[in-house]
Amino acid sequence: MLLILLVSGCVPAQLQNSRHSGNSWYTVKPTDTLYSIAWRYGLDYKELARWNQISDDYIINLGQRLVMHKPHKGIVSKAPVSSTSVHTPSRSLGTSKTNQPSVKVTVKSTTLDTKPPSHWRWPVKGKLLNTFSIKQLDRRGIDIAGKLGQAVRATATGKVVYSGNSLVGYGNLIIIKHSEMYLSAYAYCKERLVSEGDFVKVGAIIARMGNHNNKTARLHFEIRKNGKPVDPMKYLPNK
């Protein structure tokens, strides 16, 4: 049975502790990517791929069942095979026509630097509404106030590995992979302007700011290092 935790005002508490108990597996849904699954459960996508013997292209199949914990030493852990997984196409980094952006902001490069970004920038201009706290699930990032429709920019150059709204509590969400170590996320967006697989430059407009809970315009922004939330203020330049 899925462990259900209380949903906070910003990010749902299911992020870290809502894995299946008992069998500890997860069934891939139509809108999932390996990155979004790892993000939802607070895992490093590289480890999740390794546990499930997924190749470096990180392609997963609809209906595939993923092991969500580190296998015991010397034991290869395999989740039960769903009957639908052998009849459905791989989940690549493409998106459906309904998710296609109205603006393209891709760069020509198709490879990422393996080193961490040397330069980070603020995703939006606005008042900081909260500070980072690893102990509080709703503060494992920062919220920045702004205006509805305000431009949201990529905080560093990278590849869009998720663009959708299937992660409960995040609304329209974009996740960008900057290196093998770092990911950033942009939540509560009114409009997503990039698709999965797009490469974006630092400062490129990737979304428009939306309202949180239909009340105040803000952006929820996170940085994760090897799957773990880190304080964005340690990476962003001083205002």
Side-chain angles (χ1 to χ4, degrees):
M1 181 179 292
L2 188 66
L3 298 177
I4 303 175
L5 302 180
L6 293 177
V7 177
S8 66
C10 294
V11 181
Q14 67 179 16
L15 275 177
Q16 305 296 329
N17 300 312
S18 59
R19 302 182 206 176
H20 288 282
S21 60
N23 292 330
S24 295
W25 51 261
Y26 176 88
T27 302
V28 176
K29 299 176 178 60
T31 56
D32 286 335
T33 68
L34 185 74
Y35 297 93
S36 68
I37 296 170
W39 190 280
R40 180 184 288 124
Y41 297 110
L43 299 171
D44 183 352
Y45 70 91
K46 299 185 296 296
E47 288 188 341
L48 184 58
R50 187 163 55 250
W51 298 342
N52 290 277
Q53 303 179 53
I54 296 172
S55 62
D56 289 344
D57 56 16
Y58 302 125
I59 292 176
I60 54 179
N61 298 320
L62 177 63
Q64 181 178 352
R65 293 186 177 185
L66 303 179
V67 173
M68 300 297 288
H69 61 85
K70 183 178 180 179
H72 295 296
K73 189 174 182 180
I75 299 176
V76 177
S77 182
K78 290 186 178 181
V81 177
S82 169
S83 60
T84 61
S85 63
V86 296
H87 300 297
T88 54
S90 297
R91 169 63 169 160
S92 64
L93 290 178
T95 52
S96 64
K97 292 182 179 179
T98 57
N99 288 330
Q100 289 300 314
S102 57
V103 179
K104 285 286 186 179
V105 289
T106 58
V107 299
K108 293 182 180 180
S109 173
T110 57
T111 58
L112 287 176
D113 193 338
T114 57
K115 298 179 181 179
S118 58
H119 174 70
W120 300 80
R121 62 156 291 158
W122 284 80
V124 294
K125 294 181 179 180
K127 179 182 178 181
L128 187 65
L129 297 176
N130 68 329
T131 55
F132 175 86
S133 174
I134 192 66
K135 296 181 180 180
Q136 298 184 42
L137 291 173
D138 62 332
R139 288 175 53 191
R140 294 188 173 180
I142 56 175
D143 284 15
I144 308 170
K147 296 180 180 180
L148 184 64
Q150 182 177 337
V152 176
R153 299 178 183 271
T155 194
T157 296
K159 182 178 182 179
V160 179
V161 293
Y162 180 78
S163 179
N165 53 19
S166 64
L167 273 69
V168 177
Y170 283 101
N172 278 314
L173 172 70
I174 294 170
I175 301 175
I176 298 178
K177 177 182 178 181
H178 303 292
S179 69
E180 291 301 307
M181 186 181 298
Y182 287 98
L183 300 173
S184 66
Y186 314 74
Y188 310 155
C189 299
K190 176 184 178 182
E191 182 181 10
R192 291 175 281 113
L193 302 179
V194 291
S195 299
E196 292 162 11
D198 286 349
F199 282 80
V200 295
K201 293 181 180 179
V202 58
I205 299 175
I206 59 172
R208 298 289 177 183
M209 185 182 291
N211 288 330
H212 173 53
N213 290 337
N214 297 318
K215 295 179 180 179
T216 58
R218 66 175 66 187
L219 174 75
H220 178 76
F221 175 70
E222 294 186 26
I223 295 177
R224 295 201 181 181
K225 180 180 180 181
N226 293 325
K228 305 303 179 184
V230 293
D231 187 356
M233 300 301 291
K234 293 182 178 180
Y235 298 86
L236 299 175
N238 294 328
K239 288 187 175 181

